[in-house]
Amino acid sequence: MPEGPELHLGSLYVNKMCAGVVFTGPVRKSEVSKSPDVPFTCEAYRITASSRGKEVKLTLTPMKSDDSKQRSKAGQADQAMDVVFRFGMSGYFRFTSEDELPKHSHLRFYSKETTCRVLSFVDTRRFGSWQANGTWQPDRGPCLMFEYESFRKNVVTHLSDRAFDRPICEVLLNQKYFNGIGNYLRAEILFRLNIPPFVPARSVLEGLESEDLCENEKPLKTEIKDEKASDRVKTVKEETGDLLRLCHTVPLEVVNQGGKGYDPKKEDYSEFKAWLQCYYVDGMKSLRDHNGRTMWFNGDPGPMAPKDLKSPKAKKRAKKTEDHDYTDKKKGAKGGSKSTPKKKVVKQETKTAKKEIEKSEEMVSPQKKKRPAARGRKTSSAEPAAGPEKRSGRVTRQSSK
DNA sequence: CGTCCACGTCTAC
DNA sequence: TAGACCTGGACGG
């Protein structure tokens, strides 16, 4: 469940399901979990949740009781405790009866009811984590959904940070500035503005204002106050807004869908799937970025696109063939290394093998096969939410200059 | 059966 | 800039 919208929906879920519910006893952890214990025990407490970017905070609040005088009753909590969660790739909350505990329920809060129910932090892959007496992770920036103004300011005032030397698609995953953006959101956001993913981030962001011009003035035309040359640059997209604004509005679209956002196993995933315009959509292109994450996009990849094709696929293939070298016609054959300036074919054939191939071919959507049930092509949408070709060329958001 | 892929961090060479 | 950390679903043979 894990980008900003899913984390927030998770906090809404907890608040809804646990409203009025009294919890009791210790917080229990699964045997297999390596995350820290949550040393909280209380006769009667409540649970509320809030979210910030890609974190959720649960607040455990002891209830007042008559015998609060004997509060020191053997380690019973009398102070509230915050537990801060990160969801990794597969975390979510579920509130169930005790005998319906989900598989991979790794942290559990038990209700004080005749038929006990349990709030579980479920996390199949266990990449998620929690921290008792936790605080928002200090290195993460403001929430781009619910601290929009400070989010903007944080980006705009730090553009000299070397972090912005990277391609925009990679910077969008930097939680120090984009707390809440994940792999599907970066694809959707860049797609909507037609920004090539591998364009230098600073060139896309410089010139943007700390304040959102879109929000204050609808007419927006009243920006006459400052027409010094850079007119062109600051022409905000009337309809959509600039990149930073979309980092705010696009995640909110997912939140406003209700449901649970990205969760292929759920039935109501179809609505989310239909919402996606780019990520994993048939006909879109994809490339591994410099961190090995798949970037989905349409059109031009941009100047900083990885040249070297060091995909995991290539590695595996290398292993397999590393003994029978001459069988390696593989697929590199087609590319035709026309202008390879360096004939120096390094030993690591895997990495250099196809450094100069035509961009176009290797990056067309990799899997032609059927996709996982949950990810099928856009089903019966009469209007496939703006086809690729439909947009290409238009709205050319000249990134840099 | 095996390989590849997945919504994200982390820390170690 | 690799890997490590994990489980499980979809495919391919």
Side-chain angles (χ1 to χ4, degrees), chain A residues 270-301:
Chain A
S270 59
E271 189 188 357
F272 176 79
K273 196 179 62 178
W275 173 85
L276 292 173
Q277 296 178 34
C278 179
Y279 181 78
Y280 242 111
V281 168
D282 231 35
M284 295 294 138
K285 299 169 184 171
S286 67
L287 274 181
R288 294 311 187 91
D289 68 16
H290 295 287
N291 301 307
R293 302 268 260 150
T294 303
M295 179 64 216
W296 289 86
F297 65 102
N298 185 220
D300 179 15

Side-chain angles (χ1 to χ4, degrees), chain A residues 3 166-173 178 181-205 208 237 240-251 275 277-279 284-285 287 289 294-302 391-392 394-399:
Chain A
E3 296 186 25
R166 326 231 66 216
I168 184 61
C169 70
E170 294 172 14
V171 173
L172 285 177
L173 293 186
F178 297 92
I181 299 290
N183 208 23
Y184 79 71
L185 283 171
R186 69 170 178 171
E188 294 300 311
I189 290 165
L190 293 177
F191 175 84
R192 300 232 190 150
L193 292 174
N194 238 287
I195 297 173
F198 294 95
V199 116
R202 193 174 292 106
S203 72
V204 179
L205 295 167
L208 298 187
K237 286 287 178 342
T240 50
D242 62 29
L243 175 57
L244 294 180
R245 182 171 182 79
L246 263 72
C247 288
H248 170 67
T249 57
V250 172
W275 173 85
Q277 296 178 34
C278 179
Y279 181 78
M284 295 294 138
K285 299 169 184 171
L287 274 181
D289 68 16
T294 303
M295 179 64 216
W296 289 86
F297 65 102
N298 185 220
D300 179 15
R391 304 187 149 231
S392 63
R394 196 170 106 253
V395 189
T396 317
R397 191 296 181 335
Q398 274 312 15
S399 50

Side-chain angles (χ1 to χ4, degrees), chain A residues 10 43 49 87 119 121 125 153 173-174 180 203 250 269 284 306 312 317 336 355:
Chain A
E43 248 335 277
F87 281 12
L119 177 66
F121 176 65
R125 297 182 66 182
K153 183 165 291 183
L173 293 186
N174 184 341
S203 72
V250 172
Y269 177 63
M284 295 294 138
R317 210 178 295 124
K355 54 164 50 170

Side-chain angles (χ1 to χ4, degrees), chain A residues 162-363:
Chain A
R162 294 285 304 278
F164 294 95
D165 293 353
R166 326 231 66 216
I168 184 61
C169 70
E170 294 172 14
V171 173
L172 285 177
L173 293 186
N174 184 341
Q175 302 298 299
K176 184 173 176 186
Y177 296 108
F178 297 92
N179 187 7
I181 299 290
N183 208 23
Y184 79 71
L185 283 171
R186 69 170 178 171
E188 294 300 311
I189 290 165
L190 293 177
F191 175 84
R192 300 232 190 150
L193 292 174
N194 238 287
I195 297 173
F198 294 95
V199 116
R202 193 174 292 106
S203 72
V204 179
L205 295 167
E206 68 193 354
L208 298 187
E209 305 289 334
S210 283
E211 325 90 64
D212 185 337
L213 296 176
C214 244
E215 201 160 41
N216 308 326
E217 301 288 342
K218 258 210 230 118
L220 191 64
K221 193 175 177 180
T222 62
E223 61 169 70
I224 40 176
K225 53 184 288 183
D226 191 31
E227 31 184 74
K228 50 171 162 185
S230 57
D231 238 6
R232 181 171 47 84
V233 174
K234 61 165 29 176
T235 301
V236 181
K237 286 287 178 342
E238 314 260 334
E239 296 299 310
T240 50
D242 62 29
L243 175 57
L244 294 180
R245 182 171 182 79
L246 263 72
C247 288
H248 170 67
T249 57
V250 172
L252 282 181
E253 287 179 24
V254 178
V255 169
N256 290 332
Q257 267 176 204
K260 19 181 72 75
Y262 189 160
D263 184 1
K265 298 189 175 176
K266 264 333 215 181
E267 300 312 321
D268 62 358
Y269 177 63
S270 59
E271 189 188 357
F272 176 79
K273 196 179 62 178
W275 173 85
L276 292 173
Q277 296 178 34
C278 179
Y279 181 78
Y280 242 111
V281 168
D282 231 35
M284 295 294 138
K285 299 169 184 171
S286 67
L287 274 181
R288 294 311 187 91
D289 68 16
H290 295 287
N291 301 307
R293 302 268 260 150
T294 303
M295 179 64 216
W296 289 86
F297 65 102
N298 185 220
D300 179 15
M304 300 177 86
K307 301 288 184 195
D308 67 328
L309 272 283
K310 53 174 177 201
S311 70
K313 212 179 295 177
K315 284 189 205 163
K316 299 263 171 139
R317 210 178 295 124
K319 265 188 192 169
K320 278 187 175 177
T321 63
E322 70 186 355
D323 285 332
H324 352 278
D325 48 5
Y326 46 71
T327 64
D328 67 336
K329 224 42 180 172
K330 299 177 201 164
K331 54 202 308 191
K334 54 183 175 182
S337 54
K338 36 185 182 185
S339 66
T340 324
K342 302 179 182 297
K343 66 283 303 295
K344 176 194 170 95
V345 180
V346 190
K347 55 277 184 113
Q348 301 289 11
E349 48 104 15
T350 78
K351 300 200 171 181
T352 59
K354 38 180 88 172
K355 54 164 50 170
E356 280 296 324
I357 27 154
E358 299 274 311
K359 294 177 186 173
S360 52
E361 54 185 355
E362 274 292 342
M363 81 189 145

Side-chain angles (χ1 to χ4, degrees), chain A residues 62 94 203 365 370:
Chain A
R94 197 95 316 175
S203 72
S365 49
K370 286 186 295 182

Side-chain angles (χ1 to χ4, degrees), chain A residues 16 31 35-36 46 51 90 109 111 126 137 144 171 187 200 208 211 256 262 289 297 312 314 350 353 390:
Chain A
K16 180 175 101 184
E31 280 301 314
S35 289
R46 297 195 187 276
S51 77
S90 56
F109 306 84
S111 85
R126 273 181 274 147
Q137 216 170 233
L144 36 82
V171 173
L208 298 187
E211 325 90 64
N256 290 332
Y262 189 160
D289 68 16
F297 65 102
T350 78
K390 194 170 169 187

Side-chain angles (χ1 to χ4, degrees), chain A residues 98-140:
Chain A
E98 193 172 11
D99 49 311
E100 289 175 316
L101 279 191
K103 200 177 176 187
H104 306 293
S105 162
H106 294 303
L107 195 69
R108 303 191 275 264
F109 306 84
Y110 290 79
S111 85
K112 190 176 189 174
E113 299 170 303
T114 47
T115 0
C116 175
R117 287 184 291 172
V118 184
L119 177 66
S120 291
F121 176 65
V122 188
D123 184 8
T124 305
R125 297 182 66 182
R126 273 181 274 147
F127 291 174
S129 60
W130 61 78
Q131 181 188 16
N133 294 307
T135 57
W136 301 128
Q137 216 170 233
D139 289 342
R140 307 185 75 104

